[in-house]
Amino acid sequence: MELLPTVWFVAIAVLWTGYLFLEGFDLGVGMLMKVLARNNTDRRVLLNTIGPVWDGNEVWLLTAAGATFAAFPLWYASLFSALYLPLLIVLVALIFRAVAFEYRGKVDTARWRTVWDWAIAVGSFTAAFGIGAALALTTTGLPLNANGDRQGGPFAWFSGYAVLGGLAVVAFALVHALAFLALKTDGEVRHRARRWFVRLAPVALLPLLAWMVALQLLSGKPWTWLLVIVGILAASAAWVLARRGAEGKAFGALGAFLVCATGSIFGAAFPVVIPSTLDPAFNLTISNASSSDYTLGLMSIVAAFGLPLVIAYQAWTYWVFRRRVSAAHIPAAHGFLPAIAAKVLVGSPTPAGPVSKGTVTKGPAAKGTTDGVGE
C-alpha cells in the first residue's frame, strides 16, 4: 500500500473529525436557538458562546475539502459532481447562517430577531444534515461508472445511508451543543442544557452508532470493531459524567466518542474512498484516485509547517474566550441599522433614540465574552 496516499487519507479523516468536533457544537447551538432558549437574553447567551469561534471552526471544512481536492482529485471530482445539488444547498445554508449572525443584532425589534433566529436554526440544521449525508455516501457508495461519473438523475445519490448520515450528524451536533453549553454557560441555560443532554444523549447518539455498525458489517476490521466498543464506553461515560455535573469531563468523553466513530468509519472504508454501487470494480481507492507522489510529498512539507500553526492559533482563541457566559454578562439590546433599511427588510421601523455600534462586556467575570454577534 502506498505510504503517502495512506498518510493523506488519514489526514483527511483527521480534518473531518476536527470539523465535526468544532463545527458540530456550533451548528448544534444554532439549531437550539428556537428550542433551548426561552427569551432573547437566552438566545444572546447562546450566540455569545460561539461568536468568537464559529467562523474559525468553518475553516476545518474548507481545509478538508481543499486537502481532498489536492491529494485525491478523483475523489473530490466524483463526490462533488455526484452531490452537486445537496452541496449547493449546504453552501447556501452556511451563507444564510453567517449573514444571520452578523445581522441579528442590527435592529432591536422582535420581528427582526425572529427572522434571523430562524435563518440560524434552519441554516445550521440544513448544513449539518447535508454534510452528514455526504460523508455517509462517501463511505457507503454512490452510483459511479468506470470513469467515476455518477449514473442516474440529480437524485440518484439519495439512499437510506444518506438519511442515516444526515440524522447522525444532526443528532450528534445537538447533544454536542448541549454538552458545550453546559460547559460554557452559567445560570439557567447551563442547568437546562445539562438536563436535556442527560435526557437526549442515549437516543440522539444512536444514528451515529448505527452508521458505525453498518460500516463494520460492510467492511469492518478487528481494530475498527474495537473502536466501536471503545466509542460506546466513551458515550456511556459522557452520560454518567453529565449526570454527576462533571461538565468538562463529559464534553471530553463525548469528543472521544466522536474520534472513535470517525476512526471506525474511515478505517472500515479504507482503502476505498468512494465505493461504487454499480460494480466494485469501479471503486475509487487511495491508489487510483490520488495525486502523484511528488504532489503529495510537497503537500506533506507544507502541512508539517502550516497545520501546527493553525491548531496553535485556534487553541489560543479558545483559551482567550474560555470564561463562562451568563445572562448577567449580556448588556441591553440595541440596534444601529438605519430605520428605512429595517422597514424595507422586515416591514417595521426601528425605535427612535440614539444608537451605537457593538459592545464588549466588561469585568473579570465576563472576560473573553464578546457581544458583537447576534444582539
Side-chain angles (χ1 to χ4, degrees):
M1 194 65 65
E2 297 89 339
L3 175 61
L4 287 176
T6 301
V7 168
W8 274 98
F9 179 87
V10 174
I12 290 169
V14 170
L15 289 171
W16 278 115
T17 303
Y19 174 74
L20 293 175
F21 181 83
L22 296 173
E23 183 82 337
F25 66 73
D26 76 50
L27 288 172
V29 169
M31 286 185 275
L32 291 171
M33 285 284 291
K34 303 299 292 183
V35 179
L36 186 70
R38 294 179 177 174
N39 51 52
N40 184 47
T41 300
D42 285 355
R43 294 186 181 96
R44 292 176 66 191
V45 169
L46 264 62
L47 288 176
N48 272 278
T49 63
I50 61 173
V53 298
W54 69 268
D55 47 355
N57 294 341
E58 287 191 353
V59 171
W60 287 77
L61 174 62
L62 301 177
T63 307
T68 304
F69 171 76
F72 299 97
L74 292 182
W75 180 6
Y76 178 93
S78 297
L79 180 65
F80 278 68
S81 60
L83 302 179
Y84 182 85
L85 181 59
L87 291 178
L88 177 62
I89 294 173
V90 167
L91 179 60
V92 172
L94 290 173
I95 291 172
F96 268 92
R97 179 174 177 266
V99 170
F101 282 142
E102 300 298 331
Y103 272 66
R104 184 186 186 275
K106 304 310 183 195
V107 177
D108 184 21
T109 67
R111 185 174 182 181
W112 175 273
R113 289 191 295 265
T114 298
V115 169
W116 297 115
D117 287 344
W118 278 111
I120 294 171
V122 175
S124 298
F125 172 85
T126 304
F129 188 91
I131 290 168
L135 289 176
L137 291 171
T138 197
T139 56
T140 58
L142 286 165
L144 303 180
N145 61 20
N147 296 321
D149 298 326
R150 183 197 67 208
Q151 296 295 293
F155 295 98
W157 52 269
F158 188 80
S159 68
Y161 284 121
V163 176
L164 177 62
L167 292 177
V169 172
V170 167
F172 175 80
L174 285 171
V175 294
H176 197 34
L178 291 170
F180 174 75
L181 291 172
L183 177 64
K184 193 67 175 65
T185 64
D186 209 350
E188 181 58 29
V189 173
R190 173 188 181 183
H191 302 309
R192 202 181 305 148
R194 188 171 68 231
R195 288 197 301 270
W196 277 106
F197 177 86
V198 172
R199 294 174 184 174
L200 295 180
V203 176
L205 296 179
L206 288 178
L208 185 52
L209 179 61
W211 183 6
M212 295 164 64
V213 173
L215 260 293
Q216 308 316 307
L217 296 175
L218 289 173
S219 54
K221 307 169 180 66
W223 66 271
T224 58
W225 275 107
L226 179 60
L227 284 177
V228 173
I229 296 172
V230 175
I232 293 173
L233 294 176
S236 303
W239 184 77
V240 172
L241 290 167
R243 289 196 65 184
R244 295 177 179 176
E247 293 143 343
K249 293 179 180 178
F251 185 75
L254 191 63
F257 167 71
L258 176 67
V259 171
C260 291
T262 55
S264 65
I265 289 170
F266 280 99
F270 181 83
V272 178
V273 295
I274 302 182
S276 171
T277 57
L278 302 179
D279 189 333
F282 301 155
N283 288 352
L284 294 179
T285 68
I286 64 167
S287 299
N288 62 23
S290 66
S291 297
S292 66
D293 285 345
Y294 176 81
T295 300
L296 295 178
L298 184 60
M299 289 174 58
S300 300
I301 295 172
V302 173
F305 288 96
L307 192 58
L309 293 176
V310 173
I311 293 175
Y313 171 77
Q314 194 158 22
W316 176 78
T317 302
Y318 276 92
W319 176 254
V320 170
F321 294 100
R322 67 189 181 278
R323 301 293 181 89
R324 289 183 181 270
V325 183
S326 71
H329 300 147
I330 305 299
H334 63 272
F336 63 86
L337 194 68
I340 188 170
K343 187 173 183 179
V344 169
L345 290 172
V346 297
S348 60
T350 57
V355 294
S356 59
K357 291 187 178 182
T359 59
V360 179
T361 55
K362 306 292 185 182
K367 182 180 179 182
T369 301
T370 66
D371 197 49
V373 175
E375 293 179 356

